[in-house]
Amino acid sequence: MTVNFEKTATNEGILHFTIEHDKALKAMKQAYKRIQKDVALPGFRKGKVTYKMFTQMYGEASLYEDALNLLLPVEYPKAVEEADVDVVAQPQIDIEDIQKGKDWKIAAKVATKPAVKLGEYKDLEVSKQDREVTDEEVDQRLAAAQSRLSELVLKEEPAEKGDTVVIDYEGFKDGEAFEGGQADNYSLELGSDSFIPGFEDQLIGAKEGDEVEVKLSFPEDYPAEDLAGQPVVFQVKVHEVKEKEVPELDDEFAKDVDDEVETLDELKAKYRKELEENKEAQATEAVEEEALRKAVENAEIEDLPEAMVHEEVHRQMEHYLNEMQRQGISPELFYQITGTSEEDLHKRFEEDADVRVKTNLILEQIVADENLEANDEDVENEIKSLADTYNMEEDKVREVVTKDMLQNDIALKKAMDMITKSAKEV
C-alpha cells in the first residue's frame, strides 16, 4: 500500500492510497461468490457459471463496486493509520484509477480533527442558583392535590366563577344558526376561558333551568373568516349548576393522597423534600450547562469541519430513533404520530449541533492535557450503571460495548466533572 495525504484546507484533505492488485482480485472473487447462485448464462445451469466465464461475459468492472465495499472497511483505516492523520467523520470515496491487472488507486476526501486551544475551564464563575423551597410552594403542591381530589356537586344557588354549568347552546348570526355553534349537555367551567371571551361571564348568576341569551362578538383573529369580528347571539339552556367540593386539609386528606403517610405534617414534609430534590437537580443541571458553555466560549477551535457537525446531527437522530424503537415505536410510526418527517427531525437536531461538537472536542483536549484515564474499577461501575439503566444483564452490556468505548466515555465524564464540579456560584 502506498499512501499520501494532500492537505486542501485547514481541517480538510485528500487521502490517496492504493489497494494491491492481488487483494482486489481476491475481493472480486469473494464478491462474485455472493451472487454466483443467482447467475445464469445460456447453456449453463443457474449457479454453475464460473468466475472466469462471468468476467468474460460482463467484465471485471461489474464487480468493482461490490469488491470495494468489501475492501474499504479494512484498507481505508490502514491508510489513515499509515498517513498518521486524525480523521473525523465519514470520508467521501472517489475512485482515481482502476485498471485490470494493476493496483487500484483510491482517493478519500476527509475532514481532520481541528486544533483546540483551551482557555479557562476550572473554577469558572456561574450564576447563583435558587435551591430554597418556600412554604408557598409547598402550599401550591397541596392545593394541586386538593384540586385532584375535588368533586363536583349540584347546587341550587346561582352559578359563580369556578362553578361548572351543564348547558345546551346554539349560536346565531343575523338570525341564522351557524356551523359549529351548537352542543348539548356541555360541561363548562366558568372562568376557564375555554370559550369565546364574554361567553362565560354572562352565565355567572344563572341557575338550573334558566334560559340565557348571550350576546357577544367573535375576536377579529378568529380562524373562521365568516365569523371573525362578527356579532352573534347564543341561546343557552342551563341544565345543572355544580360547585367544586374541596376536601379539608387534614390527616384523612393526607392519607387519601399518599398511602405512605399518616398525617398532614408528614405529607407536607414529603412534598418539601421532593421539591428540594427537584430544585437541587435543576440547579445542578443549570450550573453544569453554564460552566460547560463558558469553557467552550473560553477555548479556541480552528475552523470546525462541517462534516463533524453533520455527523453529530445524524448520530443524535439515530440515538433518538433507537430510543423510540426500544419503546416499540418504529421511525415510520413516529413520523406518522408526530406529523413530522426525517427532514424535520434533522432540523431539530441541527440546533446547537456545533456547540455539542465543540464541547466534545474540548473535553477530549482536557482528557489529553490532564492525562485522565479510566481504571478497571471505573469500567466495572460503568457496566453496572448501564445494566441498571437499560435493564440488561451485565454480560449483555459487555457484548455490545467494548472496554475501549467505556474507557473513552468515562475519561470524557471525568473531564466534564473537572469543569462542572470546580465551578463557583456567585
Side-chain angles (χ1 to χ4, degrees), residues 134-169:
T134 65
D135 292 341
E136 182 181 359
E137 288 173 315
V138 176
D139 290 342
Q140 288 173 351
R141 183 82 180 269
L142 287 169
Q146 273 185 298
S147 180
R148 289 196 302 272
L149 292 185
S150 297
E151 296 180 353
L152 291 175
V153 296
L154 292 172
K155 61 180 283 188
E156 296 180 356
E157 294 79 12
E160 301 175 287
K161 191 171 184 178
D163 289 345
T164 294
V165 292
V166 179
I167 58 174
D168 297 341
Y169 65 85

Tab-separated table of all heavy atoms in Angstrom, residues 134-169:
chain	number	residue	atom	x	y	z
A	134	THR	N	-39.964	27.371	49.466
A	134	THR	CA	-40.769	28.222	50.346
A	134	THR	C	-42.029	27.502	50.803
A	134	THR	O	-42.462	26.510	50.196
A	134	THR	CB	-41.164	29.508	49.613
A	134	THR	OG1	-42.033	29.169	48.503
A	134	THR	CG2	-39.937	30.234	49.071
A	135	ASP	N	-42.623	28.024	51.887
A	135	ASP	CA	-43.902	27.488	52.365
A	135	ASP	C	-44.970	27.624	51.287
A	135	ASP	O	-45.848	26.761	51.152
A	135	ASP	CB	-44.344	28.226	53.634
A	135	ASP	CG	-43.436	27.924	54.818
A	135	ASP	OD1	-42.720	26.907	54.778
A	135	ASP	OD2	-43.443	28.713	55.798
A	136	GLU	N	-44.891	28.705	50.511
A	136	GLU	CA	-45.881	28.945	49.456
A	136	GLU	C	-45.833	27.842	48.401
A	136	GLU	O	-46.870	27.390	47.912
A	136	GLU	CB	-45.613	30.301	48.800
A	136	GLU	CG	-46.637	30.664	47.720
A	136	GLU	CD	-46.347	31.989	47.058
A	136	GLU	OE1	-45.356	32.645	47.451
A	136	GLU	OE2	-47.107	32.369	46.154
A	137	GLU	N	-44.637	27.375	48.057
A	137	GLU	CA	-44.505	26.317	47.060
A	137	GLU	C	-45.076	24.999	47.581
A	137	GLU	O	-45.701	24.246	46.830
A	137	GLU	CB	-43.024	26.142	46.692
A	137	GLU	CG	-42.485	27.287	45.847
A	137	GLU	CD	-40.991	27.199	45.638
A	137	GLU	OE1	-40.267	26.926	46.622
A	137	GLU	OE2	-40.533	27.410	44.500
A	138	VAL	N	-44.892	24.740	48.889
A	138	VAL	CA	-45.487	23.541	49.492
A	138	VAL	C	-47.004	23.653	49.470
A	138	VAL	O	-47.709	22.686	49.147
A	138	VAL	CB	-44.972	23.336	50.930
A	138	VAL	CG1	-45.671	22.141	51.586
A	138	VAL	CG2	-43.459	23.126	50.935
A	139	ASP	N	-47.514	24.844	49.796
A	139	ASP	CA	-48.963	25.071	49.789
A	139	ASP	C	-49.546	24.890	48.395
A	139	ASP	O	-50.661	24.361	48.239
A	139	ASP	CB	-49.284	26.476	50.313
A	139	ASP	CG	-49.011	26.617	51.811
A	139	ASP	OD1	-48.918	25.574	52.492
A	139	ASP	OD2	-48.884	27.763	52.287
A	140	GLN	N	-48.810	25.337	47.372
A	140	GLN	CA	-49.283	25.177	45.993
A	140	GLN	C	-49.372	23.699	45.623
A	140	GLN	O	-50.302	23.277	44.930
A	140	GLN	CB	-48.335	25.904	45.032
A	140	GLN	CG	-48.425	27.416	45.104
A	140	GLN	CD	-47.358	28.106	44.271
A	140	GLN	OE1	-46.436	27.463	43.764
A	140	GLN	NE2	-47.480	29.417	44.127
A	141	ARG	N	-48.417	22.927	46.104
A	141	ARG	CA	-48.433	21.477	45.852
A	141	ARG	C	-49.638	20.841	46.540
A	141	ARG	O	-50.300	19.965	45.971
A	141	ARG	CB	-47.126	20.882	46.376
A	141	ARG	CG	-46.944	19.397	46.128
A	141	ARG	CD	-46.429	19.105	44.743
A	141	ARG	NE	-46.274	17.654	44.560
A	141	ARG	CZ	-45.172	16.976	44.818
A	141	ARG	NH1	-44.095	17.608	45.251
A	141	ARG	NH2	-45.122	15.680	44.623
A	142	LEU	N	-49.943	21.281	47.759
A	142	LEU	CA	-51.113	20.767	48.476
A	142	LEU	C	-52.402	21.165	47.770
A	142	LEU	O	-53.334	20.360	47.659
A	142	LEU	CB	-51.120	21.298	49.910
A	142	LEU	CG	-50.077	20.704	50.874
A	142	LEU	CD1	-50.037	21.517	52.163
A	142	LEU	CD2	-50.406	19.252	51.186
A	143	ALA	N	-52.450	22.409	47.290
A	143	ALA	CA	-53.652	22.893	46.594
A	143	ALA	C	-53.907	22.087	45.321
A	143	ALA	O	-55.058	21.787	44.989
A	143	ALA	CB	-53.505	24.376	46.262
A	144	ALA	N	-52.832	21.724	44.627
A	144	ALA	CA	-52.976	20.910	43.418
A	144	ALA	C	-53.533	19.535	43.764
A	144	ALA	O	-54.382	18.995	43.046
A	144	ALA	CB	-51.624	20.776	42.713
A	145	ALA	N	-53.075	18.969	44.905
A	145	ALA	CA	-53.596	17.674	45.344
A	145	ALA	C	-55.063	17.802	45.743
A	145	ALA	O	-55.876	16.902	45.460
A	145	ALA	CB	-52.772	17.152	46.522
A	146	GLN	N	-55.418	18.915	46.390
A	146	GLN	CA	-56.819	19.162	46.741
A	146	GLN	C	-57.689	19.190	45.488
A	146	GLN	O	-58.779	18.617	45.468
A	146	GLN	CB	-56.947	20.501	47.473
A	146	GLN	CG	-56.746	20.449	48.971
A	146	GLN	CD	-57.014	21.799	49.589
A	146	GLN	OE1	-56.334	22.773	49.296
A	146	GLN	NE2	-58.010	21.856	50.458
A	147	SER	N	-57.199	19.884	44.477
A	147	SER	CA	-57.966	20.017	43.238
A	147	SER	C	-58.202	18.653	42.597
A	147	SER	O	-59.293	18.381	42.087
A	147	SER	CB	-57.225	20.943	42.267
A	147	SER	OG	-57.940	21.083	41.061
A	148	ARG	N	-57.185	17.778	42.638
A	148	ARG	CA	-57.329	16.448	42.045
A	148	ARG	C	-58.381	15.608	42.768
A	148	ARG	O	-59.046	14.778	42.145
A	148	ARG	CB	-55.981	15.716	42.068
A	148	ARG	CG	-54.952	16.249	41.100
A	148	ARG	CD	-53.813	15.247	40.897
A	148	ARG	NE	-53.152	14.914	42.145
A	148	ARG	CZ	-52.135	15.587	42.675
A	148	ARG	NH1	-51.681	16.662	42.054
A	148	ARG	NH2	-51.575	15.197	43.809
A	149	LEU	N	-58.512	15.818	44.082
A	149	LEU	CA	-59.470	15.033	44.860
A	149	LEU	C	-60.833	15.714	44.996
A	149	LEU	O	-61.724	15.189	45.666
A	149	LEU	CB	-58.906	14.746	46.260
A	149	LEU	CG	-57.697	13.796	46.331
A	149	LEU	CD1	-57.337	13.508	47.774
A	149	LEU	CD2	-57.998	12.479	45.615
A	150	SER	N	-60.969	16.876	44.373
A	150	SER	CA	-62.238	17.606	44.466
A	150	SER	C	-63.339	16.890	43.688
A	150	SER	O	-63.064	16.182	42.719
A	150	SER	CB	-62.072	19.034	43.932
A	150	SER	OG	-61.154	19.755	44.720
A	151	GLU	N	-64.593	17.106	44.124
A	151	GLU	CA	-65.751	16.544	43.440
A	151	GLU	C	-66.717	17.655	43.078
A	151	GLU	O	-66.810	18.673	43.776
A	151	GLU	CB	-66.453	15.523	44.335
A	151	GLU	CG	-65.612	14.306	44.670
A	151	GLU	CD	-66.354	13.327	45.568
A	151	GLU	OE1	-67.456	13.689	46.023
A	151	GLU	OE2	-65.835	12.232	45.809
A	152	LEU	N	-67.432	17.447	41.977
A	152	LEU	CA	-68.458	18.403	41.580
A	152	LEU	C	-69.797	17.965	42.151
A	152	LEU	O	-70.223	16.822	41.943
A	152	LEU	CB	-68.542	18.495	40.057
A	152	LEU	CG	-67.339	19.139	39.346
A	152	LEU	CD1	-67.512	19.047	37.839
A	152	LEU	CD2	-67.164	20.593	39.766
A	153	VAL	N	-70.466	18.875	42.886
A	153	VAL	CA	-71.772	18.568	43.487
A	153	VAL	C	-72.782	19.611	43.028
A	153	VAL	O	-72.452	20.782	42.814
A	153	VAL	CB	-71.679	18.536	45.027
A	153	VAL	CG1	-70.773	17.413	45.484
A	153	VAL	CG2	-71.191	19.864	45.591
A	154	LEU	N	-74.031	19.148	42.871
A	154	LEU	CA	-75.090	20.060	42.418
A	154	LEU	C	-75.363	21.150	43.449
A	154	LEU	O	-75.257	20.938	44.652
A	154	LEU	CB	-76.374	19.273	42.166
A	154	LEU	CG	-76.354	18.303	40.975
A	154	LEU	CD1	-77.614	17.451	40.980
A	154	LEU	CD2	-76.232	19.072	39.673
A	155	LYS	N	-75.721	22.340	42.955
A	155	LYS	CA	-76.094	23.435	43.842
A	155	LYS	C	-77.319	24.145	43.264
A	155	LYS	O	-77.530	24.159	42.042
A	155	LYS	CB	-74.930	24.418	44.019
A	155	LYS	CG	-74.474	25.089	42.734
A	155	LYS	CD	-73.308	26.054	42.962
A	155	LYS	CE	-73.774	27.363	43.578
A	155	LYS	NZ	-72.667	28.370	43.611
A	156	GLU	N	-78.127	24.698	44.140
A	156	GLU	CA	-79.340	25.403	43.702
A	156	GLU	C	-79.081	26.893	43.551
A	156	GLU	O	-79.829	27.590	42.865
A	156	GLU	CB	-80.466	25.181	44.723
A	156	GLU	CG	-80.906	23.721	44.833
A	156	GLU	CD	-82.022	23.535	45.843
A	156	GLU	OE1	-82.392	24.541	46.494
A	156	GLU	OE2	-82.514	22.412	45.984
A	157	GLU	N	-78.042	27.384	44.192
A	157	GLU	CA	-77.735	28.804	44.136
A	157	GLU	C	-77.230	29.202	42.745
A	157	GLU	O	-76.818	28.348	41.956
A	157	GLU	CB	-76.676	29.167	45.183
A	157	GLU	CG	-77.113	29.007	46.620
A	157	GLU	CD	-77.067	27.554	47.071
A	157	GLU	OE1	-76.482	26.721	46.328
A	157	GLU	OE2	-77.637	27.252	48.137
A	158	PRO	N	-77.221	30.488	42.437
A	158	PRO	CA	-76.722	30.958	41.134
A	158	PRO	C	-75.256	30.577	40.913
A	158	PRO	O	-74.480	30.468	41.862
A	158	PRO	CB	-76.888	32.478	41.221
A	158	PRO	CG	-77.958	32.691	42.235
A	158	PRO	CD	-77.798	31.594	43.241
A	159	ALA	N	-74.901	30.390	39.658
A	159	ALA	CA	-73.538	29.992	39.297
A	159	ALA	C	-72.549	31.106	39.597
A	159	ALA	O	-72.827	32.290	39.368
A	159	ALA	CB	-73.476	29.621	37.823
A	160	GLU	N	-71.385	30.714	40.112
A	160	GLU	CA	-70.307	31.643	40.393
A	160	GLU	C	-69.075	31.246	39.586
A	160	GLU	O	-69.004	30.141	39.046
A	160	GLU	CB	-69.953	31.639	41.885
A	160	GLU	CG	-71.109	32.019	42.795
A	160	GLU	CD	-70.741	31.873	44.266
A	160	GLU	OE1	-70.642	30.720	44.739
A	160	GLU	OE2	-70.517	32.913	44.909
A	161	LYS	N	-68.130	32.154	39.520
A	161	LYS	CA	-66.881	31.838	38.840
A	161	LYS	C	-66.221	30.642	39.526
A	161	LYS	O	-66.127	30.603	40.748
A	161	LYS	CB	-65.940	33.044	38.878
A	161	LYS	CG	-64.728	32.910	37.962
A	161	LYS	CD	-63.962	34.220	37.886
A	161	LYS	CE	-62.805	34.105	36.899
A	161	LYS	NZ	-62.067	35.383	36.760
A	162	GLY	N	-65.779	29.669	38.751
A	162	GLY	CA	-65.216	28.446	39.312
A	162	GLY	C	-66.215	27.301	39.320
A	162	GLY	O	-65.817	26.130	39.404
A	163	ASP	N	-67.526	27.613	39.225
A	163	ASP	CA	-68.541	26.564	39.133
A	163	ASP	C	-68.559	25.985	37.717
A	163	ASP	O	-68.060	26.594	36.758
A	163	ASP	CB	-69.928	27.125	39.462
A	163	ASP	CG	-70.085	27.449	40.943
A	163	ASP	OD1	-69.244	26.986	41.736
A	163	ASP	OD2	-71.036	28.163	41.296
A	164	THR	N	-69.171	24.806	37.613
A	164	THR	CA	-69.342	24.167	36.312
A	164	THR	C	-70.825	24.118	35.975
A	164	THR	O	-71.644	23.714	36.808
A	164	THR	CB	-68.770	22.737	36.315
A	164	THR	OG1	-67.342	22.808	36.484
A	164	THR	CG2	-69.065	22.011	35.007
A	165	VAL	N	-71.165	24.558	34.770
A	165	VAL	CA	-72.552	24.506	34.324
A	165	VAL	C	-72.675	23.497	33.189
A	165	VAL	O	-71.785	23.369	32.346
A	165	VAL	CB	-73.051	25.895	33.848
A	165	VAL	CG1	-73.152	26.855	35.016
A	165	VAL	CG2	-72.144	26.476	32.773
A	166	VAL	N	-73.787	22.740	33.194
A	166	VAL	CA	-74.085	21.813	32.107
A	166	VAL	C	-75.142	22.477	31.244
A	166	VAL	O	-76.248	22.766	31.728
A	166	VAL	CB	-74.570	20.456	32.631
A	166	VAL	CG1	-74.887	19.520	31.470
A	166	VAL	CG2	-73.535	19.837	33.565
A	167	ILE	N	-74.821	22.731	29.973
A	167	ILE	CA	-75.688	23.574	29.142
A	167	ILE	C	-75.919	22.974	27.756
A	167	ILE	O	-75.137	22.157	27.278
A	167	ILE	CB	-75.069	24.980	28.962
A	167	ILE	CG1	-73.661	24.859	28.322
A	167	ILE	CG2	-74.985	25.720	30.295
A	167	ILE	CD1	-73.014	26.201	27.973
A	168	ASP	N	-77.055	23.418	27.150
A	168	ASP	CA	-77.251	23.300	25.709
A	168	ASP	C	-77.054	24.701	25.155
A	168	ASP	O	-77.457	25.688	25.796
A	168	ASP	CB	-78.670	22.845	25.360
A	168	ASP	CG	-78.995	21.454	25.880
A	168	ASP	OD1	-78.046	20.702	26.178
A	168	ASP	OD2	-80.193	21.128	26.000
A	169	TYR	N	-76.434	24.807	23.993
A	169	TYR	CA	-76.313	26.144	23.407
A	169	TYR	C	-76.361	26.055	21.888
A	169	TYR	O	-76.028	25.037	21.294
A	169	TYR	CB	-75.025	26.844	23.857
A	169	TYR	CG	-73.750	26.202	23.387
A	169	TYR	CD1	-73.212	26.488	22.136
A	169	TYR	CD2	-73.050	25.306	24.200
A	169	TYR	CE1	-72.036	25.900	21.702
A	169	TYR	CE2	-71.875	24.712	23.780
A	169	TYR	CZ	-71.370	25.017	22.525
A	169	TYR	OH	-70.207	24.427	22.098
